[in-house]
Amino acid sequence: MPEPLLEARGLVKSFGRVHALRGADFMVNRSEVVALIGDNGAGKSTLVKTLSGVHAPDAGEILFEGKPVSIPTPEAARALGIETVYQDLALAPDLQSSANLFLGREVLRPGILGKLGFLDNVAMRKQTESAFGDLGVGVQDVTAPVATFSGGQRQGVAVARAVTWASKVVFMDEPTAALGVVQTRRVLDLIRRVRERGLSVVLISHNMPEVMEVADRVEVLRLGQRVATFKRGEATMEDLVGAMTGALVQS
Amino acid sequence: MSQQVVDPSAELPEDAEVPHVSRWQRIALGSSTSIFLILVAMIVVFAVLHPSEFATVDNVRNLCTDAAVLLVISVGMTYVIITAGIDLSVGAVLVFSGVIAARLMNAVGGNGWGTILVGLAAALVAGLAWGILNGTLITKLRVPPLIVTLGTLGMAQGGALLITGGTDERDVPTKLVDTIGIGRLFNQIPYIVIIAVAVALVFGVILRWTRFGRYTYAVGSNIEAPRRAGISVDRHLIKVYALCGTLAGLAGFLSLARFSTTTIGGHSTDNLNAIAAVVLGGTSLFGGIGVIAGTVVGVFIPVVLQNGFVISGVQPFWQQVAVGAVLIVAVYLDQLRRRTQYRD
């Protein structure tokens, strides 16, 4: 079996007296959609934040492509090719979608103008249009402010941004929580297309049918520890819920 | 589990609702368009009513000269308000910088360009220092900009009074007054107007087309967006307040040149005038929206009204009433625009 792309071993993270992670393990293979599920307070968000450089773990080990790494900042995560789509999307609503896609990574004009900080908006728009086209994000006008977009379109912009810059892993924190049925399908479709590009996706979700449909593997967290992993088709919905609540114990 | 039959590539009803807005429609709905039309209408009305007094070269020159110092402050204020901040200290910083420049030029002595340059540098550095202080307190102590700049307003104003003992500094190099103060290029265009226009052009271009401008909008639109994108939001905010302070310092120097005195008591409402001009020009107090061209229009509205009322024989006090009303209408239009065009 090839080595995992990203692996966490025995992560511990406490906030005061709250023990969010108590020796949590986690693993992502290459080109794989992993769903991370668990009840509220199981430590899903903390685990993702630890792996994307927002929190530093108190103890434990993170391996990236087999080598131990430390991810002290979000920038360090990005340097490894890890991008995160936050639940609140972190878009600037008054800016165009291309400006959001390239926020913090602006393309500057060539030559002296670029040295002075002048933006190459045409190049950024073209790349945004092609990124939206590749991923099937339904935005006709990339020059319109993101505030005029629907919820699904905004999600599309945030996912396209993460996918454009990620070379290895995209974390998505409840990407469909605020979406309607049809838009949720679009995002799931998007997730599959991201995997087809050779990236791995870690999907945090509460929606069991969605998880069973899109995930290659499911990892279940309970009380800050991994309690079960299932491959696609191995588990029923009852198994997943049982593992989350502690009714089912995987040997 | 039953498979839902939905073609994900189909046009979604929700997506289809997004109207395609053409470039011209966007300009027509744009935040500074209506106020620009109001300004044009005011100019037309006064010009038709009083062609021989209002629409003259001399009067236009007076209008521009009156607007110049306020425009320089308002350019910096535009950046600050786009970040969803506010700077109440600009008028006090203007006075403080003017006092420092006047004192230093007198200490150096002489009436040459060297002395004037020393004064200019002093005014800019004094303004920059207040701006950096504002930005640092706002970002590091997390005190709201309204309170920080209200505090530095008092400190700068009090500082200016302490340095001068409360009496205006009237010794200003005559060369400064004769050139930048009241001099004209080709005997036509006042230098002070040229400087103000240059400031508006340079910082208008920076705001619209550079990364610095882009970050300014991003910070004001949703501060979490640039922060998560790895942009140093604190450092950018400090730079924006530093810019606003430096331009207030420049305005202090221009004011000194124009009036050949420090006019300590004459700038207590500059901050409000600048904020009004910026907001009139379509910049949103909620941040993320605004252009320098709008601010230029916003600066001219009170100036044209004042001038037109004086020429028309209307009591000029009406100008304050009228500007107040237009200001409320401008903010109402901003709210309306957000409600109708933005989804939330």
Side-chain angles (χ1 to χ4, degrees):
Chain A
M1 189 177 157
E3 66 183 19
L5 176 62
L6 178 65
E7 191 177 3
R9 289 183 189 159
L11 287 185
V12 176
K13 178 71 189 175
S14 301
F15 301 96
R17 280 187 293 176
V18 179
H19 304 292
L21 296 178
R22 321 177 182 207
D25 301 324
F26 183 69
M27 186 183 80
V28 190
N29 293 311
R30 284 165 214 272
S31 308
E32 177 184 57
V33 178
V34 183
L36 179 59
I37 65 170
D39 209 350
N40 286 341
K44 306 181 297 284
S45 288
T46 309
L47 177 61
V48 167
K49 283 180 175 162
T50 307
L51 294 175
S52 58
V54 178
H55 296 319
D58 300 331
E61 197 180 16
I62 301 173
L63 301 174
F64 190 78
E65 299 184 318
K67 292 181 214 61
V69 289
S70 75
I71 308 179
T73 61
E75 287 74 40
R78 276 185 209 120
L80 293 173
I82 302 172
E83 292 284 329
T84 307
V85 181
Y86 297 95
Q87 208 170 352
D88 65 1
L89 304 184
L91 297 171
D94 299 298
L95 298 188
Q96 304 175 355
S97 44
S98 59
N100 271 291
L101 207 78
F102 283 87
L103 193 59
R105 289 155 161 142
E106 285 78 7
V107 178
L108 298 179
R109 301 269 293 260
I112 183 90
L113 282 176
K115 291 238 165 37
L116 291 170
F118 280 80
L119 300 167
D120 193 341
N121 285 316
V122 175
M124 288 192 273
R125 261 174 226 146
K126 276 190 185 146
Q127 286 190 49
T128 303
E129 273 166 4
S130 81
F132 285 176
D134 291 349
L135 292 166
V137 177
V139 171
Q140 294 93 353
D141 184 3
V142 296
T143 64
V146 169
T148 61
F149 290 0
S150 68
Q153 288 174 319
R154 290 185 205 192
Q155 190 76 47
V157 174
V159 172
R161 174 169 65 183
V163 172
T164 301
W165 303 111
S167 55
K168 300 288 163 67
V169 187
V170 178
F171 287 107
M172 296 191 195
D173 193 351
E174 304 241 12
T176 59
L179 299 183
V181 175
V182 181
Q183 294 191 322
T184 297
R185 301 226 50 84
R186 280 205 160 174
V187 170
L188 297 186
D189 218 56
L190 201 62
I191 290 171
R192 288 195 195 93
R193 258 173 277 180
V194 173
R195 179 184 52 197
E196 280 159 24
R197 292 182 159 201
L199 299 184
S200 301
V201 177
V202 177
L203 172 72
I204 297 185
S205 179
H206 272 122
N207 185 326
M208 292 305 132
E210 181 181 307
V211 164
M212 296 189 65
E213 186 194 332
V214 78
D216 300 313
R217 231 157 37 75
V218 181
E219 301 223 344
V220 187
L221 275 188
R222 184 173 134 70
L223 302 174
Q225 287 182 320
R226 181 170 69 189
V227 293
T229 72
F230 300 101
K231 288 205 179 105
R232 173 188 284 280
E234 268 183 7
T236 62
M237 192 130 21
E238 286 70 37
D239 294 337
L240 294 182
V241 174
M244 278 166 60
T245 57
L248 177 116
V249 179
Q250 201 176 38
S251 50
Chain B
M1 198 173 71
S2 69
Q3 188 73 32
Q4 287 159 291
V5 187
V6 178
D7 174 10
S9 62
E11 188 83 359
L12 297 187
E14 201 185 336
D15 294 347
E17 270 173 42
V18 180
H20 186 77
V21 186
S22 79
R23 191 188 191 95
W24 286 110
Q25 278 172 306
R26 209 172 289 159
I27 289 171
L29 292 166
S31 49
S32 11
T33 308
S34 44
I35 201 71
F36 177 71
L37 294 178
I38 290 175
L39 178 66
V40 169
M42 279 171 16
I43 291 172
V44 167
V45 167
F46 286 129
V48 168
L49 290 178
H50 307 279
S52 57
E53 292 136 306
F54 185 82
T56 64
V57 173
D58 275 340
N59 194 46
V60 169
R61 189 154 49 217
N62 284 341
L63 281 172
C64 293
T65 310
D66 285 342
V69 172
L70 183 61
L71 178 58
V72 172
I73 305 177
S74 301
V75 167
M77 187 70 82
T78 308
Y79 275 78
V80 167
I81 293 183
I82 287 174
T83 68
I86 201 90
D87 188 348
L88 296 179
S89 70
V90 284
V93 169
L94 182 159
V95 167
F96 184 91
S97 307
V99 165
I100 295 286
R103 273 289 159 107
L104 211 63
M105 285 191 290
N106 286 335
V108 172
N111 195 23
W113 283 110
T115 311
I116 291 172
L117 276 178
V118 167
L120 173 64
L124 294 178
V125 169
L128 174 69
W130 283 110
I132 289 175
L133 180 65
N134 279 335
T136 308
L137 293 175
I138 288 162
T139 53
K140 302 303 176 194
L141 302 189
R142 304 201 178 281
V143 178
L146 188 80
I147 300 303
V148 167
T149 57
L150 188 61
T152 51
L153 181 166
M155 288 155 68
Q157 185 75 31
L161 291 170
L162 282 171
I163 292 169
T164 57
T167 48
D168 273 312
E169 193 76 53
R170 290 202 170 73
D171 276 340
V172 177
T174 49
K175 184 160 196 169
L176 173 61
V177 177
D178 292 340
T179 54
I180 296 174
I182 54 174
R184 295 178 195 164
L185 182 68
F186 308 129
N187 208 20
Q188 287 299 323
I189 311 168
Y191 287 114
I192 199 166
V193 172
I194 294 173
I195 292 170
V197 168
V199 165
L201 265 179
V202 167
F203 289 101
V205 165
I206 289 174
L207 184 61
R208 172 75 179 76
W209 279 293
T210 71
R211 187 160 55 187
F212 185 83
R214 174 74 41 95
Y215 289 178
T216 304
Y217 287 109
V219 167
S221 187
N222 173 12
I223 197 163
E224 277 303 312
R227 194 170 276 156
R228 302 244 190 96
I231 296 165
S232 174
V233 170
D234 283 3
R235 201 164 52 179
H236 188 78
L237 277 173
I238 292 172
K239 282 185 201 166
V240 166
Y241 281 92
L243 169 66
C244 189
T246 306
L247 287 178
L250 174 63
F253 189 71
L254 295 179
S255 172
L256 191 65
R258 186 174 171 212
F259 299 111
S260 72
T261 162
T262 48
T263 56
I264 292 172
H267 297 276
S268 54
T269 59
D270 277 15
N271 51 6
L272 300 181
N273 292 339
I275 293 166
V278 171
V279 173
L280 281 175
T283 299
S284 171
L285 280 171
F286 307 104
I289 296 176
V291 289
I292 297 290
T295 297
V296 173
V297 174
V299 164
F300 270 97
I301 294 244
V303 173
V304 167
L305 269 181
Q306 173 91 26
N307 178 276
F309 282 165
V310 170
I311 287 174
S312 312
V314 179
Q315 269 203 327
F317 303 127
W318 279 108
Q319 179 253 15
Q320 297 180 10
V321 178
V323 170
V326 177
L327 183 64
I328 292 171
V329 170
V331 174
Y332 169 71
L333 288 176
D334 177 39
Q335 303 266 35
L336 198 66
R337 198 160 37 237
R338 281 181 180 250
R339 271 206 299 275
T340 54
Q341 289 182 30
Y342 281 18
R343 305 171 168 211
D344 265 319

